[in-house]
Amino acid sequence: HIPTSQALSPDSVTNYEAGVKARLFERRVQVGLNAYHIDFKDLQFGVVSSAGIAAFTNIGKAQTTGVDLEVQWATPIEGLNLAFVGNWNDSTFEDVIPQISAALPSVKKGERLTDTSKYNYRFDVDYERPVGGDKRFFVHGSASTVCSRIMSDGYKVGSYGVYDATIGVGTDRWELGLF
């Protein structure tokens, strides 16, 4: 447990971010690339005090560096669009108050920030075509993966994938889909 004398002060975040977006090949391909670095000082963190009370406290410094990528492609097949969204993230605790590390061994210098994945990504496939009047037929499918992560209590949540599909009909005013 964390000593009850551990106080809560304001935290501060400094975020550096740069990116580029482009539309290519007669606007059929869109690409977005973003890189970032975040410095946390006096990072606030949920803990249980020595009195057994859930609270927030400042634990020290942390940093995150990452890259986001997004690609969308309107394929030559009318109504078929493909997309990819991905993130790589390196997040670590830097200087952590010793009492915090003693009580929470997964919260110490050099360890991955809790509940943060090293990477995640998703692929999307969308197809749509008119079927008469203002009605349209559509199909959507996606597959995503989230990398494993460590929780503050040391529990490891494993990597997992999520798969989604929808088929249906609709107009601008309504949509009926099976998923």
Side-chain angles (χ1 to χ4, degrees):
H1 292 295
I2 308 303
T4 54
S5 61
Q6 190 71 35
L8 181 63
S9 301
D11 60 359
S12 71
V13 177
T14 304
N15 185 17
Y16 306 93
E17 191 169 347
V20 63
K21 287 188 177 188
R23 291 184 180 163
L24 309 166
F25 309 109
E26 298 176 359
R27 299 169 96 61
R28 296 191 70 80
V29 175
Q30 295 181 49
V31 178
L33 181 64
N34 180 50
Y36 57 89
H37 178 83
I38 305 168
D39 289 317
F40 301 92
K41 292 182 183 168
D42 294 322
L43 179 65
Q44 294 182 359
F45 200 78
V47 296
V48 176
S49 74
S50 57
I53 299 170
F56 284 91
T57 190
N58 301 95
I59 64 167
K61 296 179 182 178
Q63 70 176 9
T64 296
T65 301
V67 176
D68 297 322
L69 174 65
E70 178 180 3
V71 179
Q72 296 177 357
W73 179 32
T75 72
I77 299 170
E78 188 64 35
L80 179 63
N81 297 301
L82 304 176
F84 170 84
V85 177
N87 170 266
W88 170 82
N89 180 325
D90 184 27
S91 299
T92 55
F93 291 106
E94 294 303 307
D95 296 320
V96 178
I97 296 169
Q99 296 92 326
I100 304 293
S101 292
L104 299 168
S106 63
V107 181
K108 64 182 175 186
K109 184 174 182 161
E111 292 294 321
R112 181 172 244 338
L113 280 180
T114 56
D115 201 23
T116 61
S117 295
K118 186 119 181 128
Y119 63 84
N120 62 72
Y121 56 87
R122 186 184 79 232
F123 293 98
D124 293 317
V125 177
D126 290 293
Y127 179 72
E128 185 175 300
R129 65 177 280 173
V131 290
D134 64 344
K135 293 178 193 64
R136 60 182 166 57
F137 165 80
F138 64 88
V139 177
H140 168 78
S142 69
S144 61
T145 297
V146 177
C147 181
S148 64
R149 59 193 187 278
I150 302 292
M151 307 308 285
S152 61
D153 61 2
Y155 177 76
K156 182 178 181 179
V157 176
S159 297
Y160 62 90
V162 176
Y163 306 93
D164 178 43
T166 304
I167 186 170
V169 294
T171 69
D172 289 340
R173 295 182 46 168
W174 60 269
E175 206 170 82
L176 178 64
L178 178 64
F179 55 93

